[in-house]
Every structure is written in C-alpha cells, then in structure tokens.
Amino acid sequence: MKLEQKLAIIGVGKMGDTLISSLIKNHVFKPEQIFGTTSREETALKVKEKHQIHAGVDNQKAVSRSNIIILAVKPQMIKKVLSQILTELNEEKMIISIAAAISTGFIEGQLNKSIPVIRAMPNTASLVNEGMTVLCPGQFAQKEHLNFALKIFKFIGEVEIIHREELMDVVTALSGSGPAYSYMMVESLTDGGVRMGLSRELARKLAAQSILGGAKMVLETGLHPAFLKDEVTTPAGVTIDGLMELEDGGFRVALIKAIDRATQKSRQISK
C-alpha cells in the first residue's frame, strides 16, 4: 500500500485525535489526506480547526473518499456504522477496527465482502506515545496491510502482531485494561507515602516514576522481573519487608485473578 492513500477515522474521540496528531506529526499522512467524523457538527468543527483535516458527521462520505478506514467508535455502534458505510466499501479498501471485543469475523460477516480487516487493541497510554497496540489480521488481510497498520500505530508506542484472534480477549484484559491497574497501584502507593508523612504531590511523583522506571528496566534490559526484583531486595533490608506485606495481602494472586476476570468479561462481550 502506498503512502498516498487517504484515511478516514470514523469516530474522532481521544484515540482518534491521538492518531491524527501522530500521523501528521510524523508525516505518514498530510492533513488534506485525512477525513474524520464525529457524531456532532460542533465537535467536527473543533477537530477541523485543530488538525486542519476534513471533518464532518457523514461517515459514508468520509469512507467514499478514503482507502483506509479506522473504526474508532464504541463497540455497540459498530453494526450501525458498518451498515452506513457498506455501499462505499470494496476490496481495494482496508478496515482497521479499534473497537474492543469486536472480532474481525463479526465485521467481515456484516460486510459480506472480501475486504481486508485488521483488529487493533491500543491502550490509553497511547495518548502520551507510550502505548501498547496489538494487531490481529482477518482472513483477507495480507502482509502489506499489516505493514501499513504497523506504520500507523508504531508512532504512539510499541506494536505486536498475533494471529490467534481468541487471544485478543487476553490482550484486552492485560494491556487494554493494564493502565487502570497501574493507576490503582500509583494511587495506593501514593496513599502509603502520605500516611507515612510525605506530601501527596511528592508521593505521587515517587510512585509514578518508580513504576515507570521499573517497567523501562524490564523492557530495555530484557531481564526477568524476578531477577530485577532480587537485585533491589537486599538481605534483612527494607524491600523484603514490603514484599512480605504484598504477598500477605495477596497482591500477586489478585493481579492474576484480575486478568482472568477481565478476559472472561471480554469473551462475554465478544459473544
């Protein structure tokens, strides 16, 4: 696929807005190559003024002018949107869906055409270019389509590809919901620091930076988290007592159960 392609983002919310900013900033698309839609005229006007792209409320019109379509609407709106744009779709176009829990098979079934579909699961950390996106191709998507999807999402964080779509529910539970788990950790650590006398502003910064730094150590060193944990845990030191309290409180098991529970909910929504 060529970079002269035109892009429609159906549903310019926070994630759509982030993608537009990233794609223009990194010269993947020029503003005039992008068509965005929202549900309200006043919102579309704000999007147009901010990014200097084509923006409106007509999904069908946006898709008719584009070769690549990103569906950034809520899952419950997918069926309605697909029915609106169906007549403008053909095998020369490509769909990328970031609607959580909506399978490529569902979209392909609604279209009843051999249109390349790629399912993408970005997370909210993409808003600060530290996101994690996982791509899964549908039955008509080829390597060139995946490569183009990679080009779109690599500027907002890390990107991985899986080919077993049933695992996308686990992806949703782990990296899709993951930022929420980390926010709870930051909040709890902050409260602990405040309880022991730190100002809330300082405690929050220490907590957030510690989690950010720990995550970066795991990614950049490639070392096992247990090894890195042991490197911090000196004999009869401070860290081992803190770890004992976490184990006693079921911290490790609680996180594992959170992924299990969230995966089951994603599977339920998918059905």
Side-chain angles (χ1 to χ4, degrees):
M1 302 184 72
K2 300 178 181 179
L3 292 184
E4 299 84 59
Q5 302 288 338
K6 293 185 178 179
L7 173 71
I9 297 184
I10 308 301
V12 183
K14 289 183 179 180
M15 189 61 68
D17 187 83
T18 297
L19 284 171
I20 292 170
S21 296
S22 174
L23 293 172
I24 293 174
K25 177 183 177 181
N26 291 286
H27 309 291
V28 182
F29 288 94
K30 297 176 182 178
E32 59 267 26
Q33 291 177 283
I34 302 176
F35 301 83
T37 67
T38 67
S39 59
R40 301 170 61 186
E41 289 279 4
E42 53 266 42
T43 308
L45 183 59
K46 290 179 181 178
V47 170
K48 183 177 181 179
E49 291 176 346
K50 178 179 180 180
H51 299 290
Q52 299 302 304
I53 66 170
H54 307 281
V57 295
D58 191 334
N59 294 333
Q60 188 178 44
K61 183 178 180 180
V63 171
S64 71
R65 299 180 176 183
S66 306
N67 306 92
I68 302 164
I69 298 93
I70 296 181
L71 300 178
V73 298
K74 294 179 180 179
Q76 58 267 33
M77 294 296 296
I78 283 289
K79 192 171 183 179
K80 178 180 178 180
V81 169
L82 289 175
S83 67
Q84 291 173 345
I85 66 176
L86 181 59
T87 57
E88 305 301 327
L89 294 172
N90 57 57
E91 289 75 5
E92 298 301 316
K93 301 195 177 188
M94 165 187 171
I95 289 179
I96 300 173
S97 169
I98 62 174
I102 300 297
S103 70
T104 58
F106 176 84
I107 295 174
E108 290 164 350
Q110 295 296 307
L111 301 179
N112 197 28
K113 298 178 182 179
S114 303
I115 296 173
V117 177
I118 292 177
R119 180 177 173 182
M121 183 68 244
N123 63 19
T124 56
S126 300
L127 300 178
V128 292
N129 296 328
E130 288 292 348
M132 182 70 241
T133 302
V134 177
L135 305 174
C136 183
Q139 62 175 317
F140 305 114
Q142 304 299 318
K143 186 176 180 179
E144 63 173 324
H145 302 114
L146 269 176
N147 286 339
F148 204 88
L150 279 168
K151 188 171 185 66
I152 287 175
F153 289 98
K154 74 175 184 178
F155 294 110
I156 58 171
E158 297 294 321
V159 187
E160 292 288 342
I161 297 172
I162 62 175
H163 293 274
R164 292 175 55 194
E165 190 163 4
E166 69 271 17
L167 294 179
M168 286 297 281
D169 291 314
V170 187
V171 169
T172 301
L174 181 52
S175 69
S177 301
Y181 311 146
S182 67
Y183 300 148
M184 182 174 282
M185 289 176 62
V186 171
E187 182 184 30
S188 300
L189 291 170
T190 299
D191 286 344
V194 171
R195 183 172 185 269
M196 301 313 296
L198 294 176
S199 70
R200 183 162 295 278
E201 181 180 357
L202 177 58
R204 182 165 53 243
K205 185 173 184 178
L206 295 179
Q209 184 61 38
S210 296
I211 292 174
L212 176 63
K216 198 167 184 178
M217 285 286 288
V218 171
L219 291 173
E220 294 194 1
T221 66
L223 296 172
H224 195 287
F227 176 85
L228 293 171
K229 179 200 69 178
D230 289 348
E231 288 290 289
V232 183
T233 312
T234 55
V238 172
T239 305
I240 189 64
D241 279 24
L243 291 172
M244 283 181 62
E245 285 297 321
L246 290 176
E247 294 287 7
D248 188 55
F251 178 77
R252 187 191 305 265
V253 174
L255 287 176
I256 294 171
K257 285 185 175 180
I259 303 304
D260 183 291
R261 179 71 176 269
T263 299
Q264 299 306 324
K265 183 57 178 284
S266 181
R267 288 173 179 166
Q268 179 183 343
I269 295 173
S270 296
K271 294 177 181 178

